[in-house]
């Protein structure tokens, strides 16, 4: 029995007794294999030529797994997955689609987690790295079981004393890296671009030789402590973070300078492309925030060093419920890219509302192509809560993320079903109910939130619950410009010109309001409330219908899911959150419908209750 009595997620059925002590990767692989398949059920054979991949071969009653160090571990977990999910065991090779499969934690050293909905930080408290080692190993085990290989442990907004992670706290970082290493998980650290100034220098100018030398020296110290550190992650010139713009330098100048410091040690510099004017005047209708990333980075294509990865959010705004693919992801032919998702449900229900993300990821990968980025990153939904993600159902997103990082074409529904089988082992009928709920959850949430791609009608700062005008007169560039006649932004060439950033085949999909897919209509076009949609309904009627329907569907979904035979440990949180979702969906419905009813004066054709 392990001393860790916490939730073991989708590995809950398997107690390999490994998380209470240090073991090598091979020992872990053997222990997992043995606890699932018995003593001689799996034969491990080292083969470094397979990289992180593995080969599985059937041998009489046993299985042979071939692979390098972590490949063996991944191969064993693949077998475990099939056994726990009651599926036919696989033969053949598998390799991950992306070499870098990261989770970015937005954890602060005071123990809080920015946009965290799963309790406090797993690794920080009181300005220090302080944690339960068995919990860290357990997390390593969970991540290895789905093939995630990198954890950036601190917030991209680097608040003091987090800069100390690559300074006086290096011994602690080293210890943490040691706990995760056997699970094939490498650490990454978010660094502050202006850190040299913390250490007494008068500038952080990336073209200043002394600054570059300072970072080289820093990298040397860091790699002496953690030789396999994956690298640094940087948020620069974004939302008041320091960056190269202060010195009139480009982001290629900034990123390359840091990348050159990491290069001798094999480190990667991940540079976020989340740059926009967060001090916009709402009266300014020329500036259009979704255009910002492309405008900043596209002209720099080809100028980034080889060990730089530009990390681009999947949409041009900020993890909204519905956004088109970021045009930057389609345009940087000569730059290494990572696509960034957000497992933390910042704008998608705070892990209270059910929101299973893979259907959205499917859209992203089908628009972008799986081969375009070289890396994949996701903002963490982890925390100190018993089940890691607050809502046990939100574990599905963590599980799915690992699977997609290996195989972005793995399929949303199949992934949901494997997760359900492994985690709860339901009968087929119950599995169907939960799989349907997960698969439908995004559509339901979308129906009761901001309508048809308009985004941003959430309460400011907290980002939970409706507030249609909450961001309307703010500095963040997030406007819907609803008046008594119309709503939405014209982003075609007759409007802000954002659409021009796309290749022609994308422009063709969105350009004509008569043909633009409904879910993106108000993202790309300004439409009158009485304009007629393709199905014959007016826009305003469609908004009302969606909101009544979304809230009703949430109620039905909650009713169905609450009947499922979850173990006691999970049932309480799941039901509590579903009840809240039902209440909050009704609030969304009423606030959004009333907002548009007051502006437009239009009645609901079906005479349902809209408050005055
Ligand atoms: C959002 C989020 C911030 C975060 C930022 C980022 O704006 O609200 O909390 O810092 O994204 O991705 O850097």
């Amino acid at each position: 029995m392990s001393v860790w009595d916490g939730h073991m997620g989708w590995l809950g059925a398997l107690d390999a007794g490994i998380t209470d002590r240090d073991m090598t990767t091979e020992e872990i692989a053997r222990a997992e294999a043995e606890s699932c398949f018995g003593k001689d059920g799996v034969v491990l054979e080292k083969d470094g030529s397979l990289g992180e991949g593995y080969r599985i071969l059937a041998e009489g009653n046993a299985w042979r797994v071939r692979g390098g160090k972590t490949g063996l571990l991944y191969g064993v977990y693949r077998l475990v997955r099939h056994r726990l999910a009651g599926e036919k065991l696989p033969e053949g090779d598998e390799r991950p689609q992306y070499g870098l499969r990261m989770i970015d934690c937005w954890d602060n050293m005071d123990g809080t987690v920015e946009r965290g909905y799963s309790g406090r930080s797993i690794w920080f408290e009181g300005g220090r790295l302080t944690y339960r080692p068995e919990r860290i190993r357990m997390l390593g085990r969970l991540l290895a079981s789905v093939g995630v290989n990198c954890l950036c442990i601190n917030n991209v907004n680097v608040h003091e004393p987090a800069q100390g992670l690559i300074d006086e706290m290096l011994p602690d970082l080293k210890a943490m890296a040691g706990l995760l290493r056997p699970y094939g998980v490498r650490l990454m650290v978010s660094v502050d671009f202006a850190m040299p100034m913390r250490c007494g220098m008068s500038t952080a100018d990336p073209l200043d030789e002394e600054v570059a030398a300072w970072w080289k020296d820093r990298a040397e110290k860091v790699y002496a402590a953690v030789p396999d550190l994956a690298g640094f992650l940087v948020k620069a010139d974004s939302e008041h973070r320091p960056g190269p713009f202060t010195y009139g330098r480009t982001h290629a100048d900034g990123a390359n300078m840091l990348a050159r410091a990491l290069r001798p040690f094999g480190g990667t510099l991940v540079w976020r492309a989340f740059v926009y004017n967060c001090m916009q005047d709402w009266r300014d209708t020329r500036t259009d925030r979704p255009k910002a990333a492309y405008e900043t980075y596209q002209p720099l294509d080809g100028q980034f060093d080889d060990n730089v990865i530009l990390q681009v959010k999947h949409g041009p705004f900020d993890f909204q419920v519905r956004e088109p693919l970021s045009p930057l992801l389609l345009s940087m032919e000569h730059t290494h890219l990572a696509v960034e998702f957000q497992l933390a449900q910042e704008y998608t229900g705070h892990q209270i509302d059910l929101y299973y993300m893979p259907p959205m990821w499917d859209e992203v990968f089908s628009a972008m192509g799986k081969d375009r980025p070289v890396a994949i990153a996701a903002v963490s939904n982890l925390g100190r809560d018993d089940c890691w993600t607050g809502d046990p159902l939100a574990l599905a997103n963590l599980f799915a993320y690992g699977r997609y990082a290996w195989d972005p074409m793995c399929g949303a529904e199949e992934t949901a079903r494997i997760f359900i089988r492994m985690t709860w082992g339901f009968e087929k009928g119950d599995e169907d109910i939960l799989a349907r709920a997960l698969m439908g959850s995004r559509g339901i949430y979308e129906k009761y939130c901001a309508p048809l791609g308009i985004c941003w009608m959430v309460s400011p700062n907290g980002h939970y619950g409706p507030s249609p005008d909450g961001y309307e007169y703010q500095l963040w560039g997030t406007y819907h410009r609803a008046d008594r006649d119309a709503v939405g932004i014209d982003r075609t060439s007759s409007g802000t010109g954002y659409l021009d950033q796309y290749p022609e085949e994308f422009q063709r999909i969105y350009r004509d309001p008569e043909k633009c897919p409904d879910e993106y209509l108000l993202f790309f076009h300004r439409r009158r409330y009485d304009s007629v949609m393709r199905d014959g309904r007016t826009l305003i009627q469609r908004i009302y219908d969606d909101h009544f329907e979304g809230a009703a569907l949430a109620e039905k979904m909650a009713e169905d899911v609450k009947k499922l035979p979850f173990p006691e440990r999970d049932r309480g949180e799941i039901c509590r959150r579903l009840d809240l979702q039902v209440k909050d969906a009704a609030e969304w419905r009423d606030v959004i419908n009333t907002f548009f009813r007051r502006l437009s004066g239009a009645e609901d054709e079906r005479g349902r209750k809209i408050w005055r």
Side-chain angles (χ1 to χ4, degrees):
M1 194 51 196
S2 156
V3 294
W4 166 246
D5 61 355
H7 203 294
M8 296 212 192
W10 53 88
L11 293 179
L14 193 70
D15 182 6
I18 57 174
T19 51
D20 50 354
R21 62 204 152 99
D22 282 326
M23 294 168 83
T24 64
T25 308
E26 202 173 322
E27 285 166 347
I28 296 167
R30 281 190 199 292
E32 295 284 26
E34 204 175 309
S35 75
C36 202
F37 296 90
K39 193 145 180 18
D40 301 311
V42 179
V43 181
L44 302 181
E45 186 186 315
K46 270 254 172 74
D47 179 351
S49 70
L50 294 168
E52 280 189 303
Y54 53 79
R55 178 166 303 150
I56 296 179
L57 304 157
E59 265 186 18
N61 290 332
W63 294 91
R64 178 174 295 273
V65 179
R66 238 181 244 159
K69 201 161 77 166
T70 33
L72 284 179
L73 188 62
Y74 292 146
V76 167
Y77 280 124
R78 178 71 193 270
L79 288 173
V80 165
R81 182 184 105 196
H82 283 253
R83 176 56 59 87
L84 293 186
E87 294 168 344
K88 193 171 164 291
L89 293 171
E91 268 197 272
D93 288 12
E94 200 184 5
R95 274 169 200 270
Q97 174 72 37
Y98 304 112
L100 190 62
R101 305 177 296 279
M102 308 172 59
I103 290 198
D104 296 351
C105 299
W106 286 359
D107 293 34
N108 299 314
M109 296 207 66
D110 64 1
T112 58
V113 180
E114 181 160 326
R115 311 305 177 187
Y117 313 105
S118 313
R120 295 180 69 79
S121 169
I122 298 174
W123 17 82
F124 303 129
E125 197 59 76
R128 299 180 39 227
L129 268 155
T130 132
Y131 47 83
R132 290 178 58 174
E134 62 274 24
R135 178 147 204 166
I136 303 297
R137 290 192 202 97
M138 184 59 223
L139 179 61
R141 182 183 184 227
L142 278 177
L143 296 179
S145 76
V146 290
V148 168
N149 68 357
C150 178
L151 252 187
C152 184
I153 59 167
N154 63 310
N155 193 353
V156 285
N157 297 310
V158 185
H159 305 299
E160 276 298 314
Q163 299 191 61
L165 285 171
I166 55 165
D167 199 344
E168 68 273 7
M169 280 181 256
L170 272 173
D172 302 320
L173 193 73
K174 176 180 175 170
M176 164 79 85
L179 285 174
L180 288 167
R181 186 172 295 123
Y183 296 91
V185 179
R186 293 162 75 191
L187 289 185
M188 184 172 279
V189 182
S190 297
V191 301
D192 189 322
F193 191 78
M195 187 167 171
M197 297 172 78
R198 178 195 197 229
C199 301
M201 297 189 66
S202 59
T203 176
D205 181 350
L207 297 192
D208 182 296
E209 277 175 21
E210 282 176 33
V211 169
W214 185 91
W215 278 109
K216 282 198 165 131
D217 177 61
R218 178 69 18 208
E220 209 172 304
K221 292 192 170 97
V222 171
Y223 277 88
V226 187
D228 59 351
L229 190 84
F232 293 162
L233 173 65
V234 183
K235 171 175 177 178
D237 291 313
S238 165
E239 300 183 331
H240 310 295
R241 304 313 301 167
F245 288 165
T246 310
Y247 310 98
R249 312 298 186 198
T250 72
H251 275 213
D253 295 331
N256 291 343
M257 181 275 292
L258 287 170
R260 284 166 201 166
L262 298 176
R263 172 175 289 287
F265 313 100
T268 299
L269 194 270
V270 181
W271 187 271
R272 293 178 86 232
F274 183 56
V275 171
Y276 68 98
N277 175 12
C278 66
M279 300 287 282
Q280 191 177 331
D281 186 331
W282 60 270
R283 297 165 191 85
D284 166 11
T285 52
R286 280 168 184 275
T287 309
D288 186 20
R289 172 166 161 184
K291 291 168 76 176
Y294 183 98
E295 283 171 349
T296 307
Y297 294 99
Q298 210 291 320
L300 302 179
D301 189 24
Q303 295 182 29
F304 291 97
D305 282 8
D306 232 28
N307 61 330
V308 174
I309 294 181
L310 191 64
Q311 183 168 301
V312 184
K313 290 190 182 186
H314 63 86
F317 259 138
D318 188 11
F319 304 133
Q320 299 298 293
V321 180
R322 169 75 64 173
E323 293 184 48
L325 182 70
S326 165
L328 195 60
L329 288 165
L330 298 167
S331 64
M332 302 289 283
E333 287 297 314
H334 310 289
T335 304
H336 295 314
L337 296 178
V339 57
E340 180 177 348
F341 297 110
Q342 191 184 42
L343 301 176
Q345 291 176 232
E346 176 178 358
Y347 296 98
T348 51
H350 284 205
Q351 283 137 246
I352 295 169
D353 302 37
L354 188 63
Y355 190 103
Y356 176 60
M357 297 180 175
M360 174 179 70
W361 302 341
D362 285 348
E363 290 165 8
V364 171
F365 286 110
S366 87
M368 171 178 68
K370 68 180 168 51
D371 298 328
R372 244 174 220 263
V374 300
I376 181 168
V379 179
S380 156
N381 61 354
L382 295 162
R384 224 185 286 165
D385 278 358
D386 177 66
C387 79
W388 305 95
T389 53
D391 180 2
L393 293 171
L395 273 170
N397 287 327
L398 182 66
F399 176 82
Y401 173 67
R403 247 198 122 209
Y404 272 73
W406 272 66
D407 176 11
M409 302 296 146
C410 60
E413 179 164 348
E414 194 192 319
T415 302
R417 286 183 182 274
I418 296 172
F419 168 77
I420 297 166
R421 283 179 210 144
M422 288 180 79
T423 311
W424 291 299
F426 288 158
E427 301 284 322
K428 178 76 171 63
D430 289 339
E431 179 190 309
D432 288 346
I433 291 173
L434 188 51
R436 209 179 310 127
L438 289 170
M439 289 300 291
S441 58
R442 189 244 191 157
I444 293 174
Y445 186 82
E446 183 175 21
K447 275 205 155 93
Y448 59 74
C449 291
L452 305 177
I454 191 71
C455 310
W456 294 111
M457 288 190 167
V458 283
S459 63
N461 310 320
H463 301 165
Y464 187 82
S467 179
D469 269 345
Y471 273 115
E472 195 55 17
Y473 302 99
Q474 298 276 341
L475 305 161
W476 303 94
T478 46
Y479 315 114
H480 54 68
R481 305 202 190 273
D483 63 19
R484 63 180 193 168
D485 300 316
V487 57
I489 314 281
D490 179 1
R491 294 197 160 97
T492 66
S493 23
S494 53
T496 70
Y498 163 74
L499 188 59
D500 301 341
Q501 295 180 345
Y502 285 90
E504 173 56 25
E505 64 268 29
F506 282 75
Q507 294 194 29
R508 233 179 289 132
I509 300 171
Y510 300 119
R511 189 185 289 136
D512 179 355
E514 305 295 329
K515 295 194 187 131
C516 177
D518 290 354
E519 58 274 21
Y520 295 106
L521 186 65
L522 299 178
F523 189 97
F524 285 105
H525 300 282
R526 181 163 183 82
R527 299 296 279 162
R528 289 182 57 85
Y529 299 119
D530 57 6
S531 62
V532 179
M533 315 264 305
R534 271 188 301 273
D535 65 6
R537 284 183 285 179
T538 57
L539 172 63
I540 190 70
Q541 191 56 39
R542 171 68 191 269
I543 292 175
Y544 294 154
D545 286 352
D546 275 4
H547 285 79
F548 283 114
E549 206 179 307
L553 286 170
E555 209 172 318
K556 170 79 175 72
M557 185 264 294
E559 210 180 281
D560 292 345
V561 174
K562 281 164 65 181
K563 285 192 202 128
L564 296 173
F566 292 108
E568 255 341 283
R569 168 173 217 170
D570 295 334
R571 159 168 298 285
E573 272 311 304
I574 290 176
C575 293
R576 190 177 73 78
R577 285 163 201 258
L578 287 169
D579 287 343
L580 270 173
Q581 173 173 6
V582 170
K583 192 168 136 284
D584 297 332
E587 185 69 3
W588 269 103
R589 173 198 64 205
D590 289 344
V591 171
I592 298 292
N593 281 348
T594 295
F595 174 77
F596 284 108
R597 160 74 187 67
R598 285 182 183 168
L599 279 176
S600 69
E603 298 298 343
D604 171 35
E605 278 170 6
R606 294 168 61 187
R608 290 161 294 191
K609 176 79 185 169
I610 297 182
W611 301 83
R612 299 278 138 162

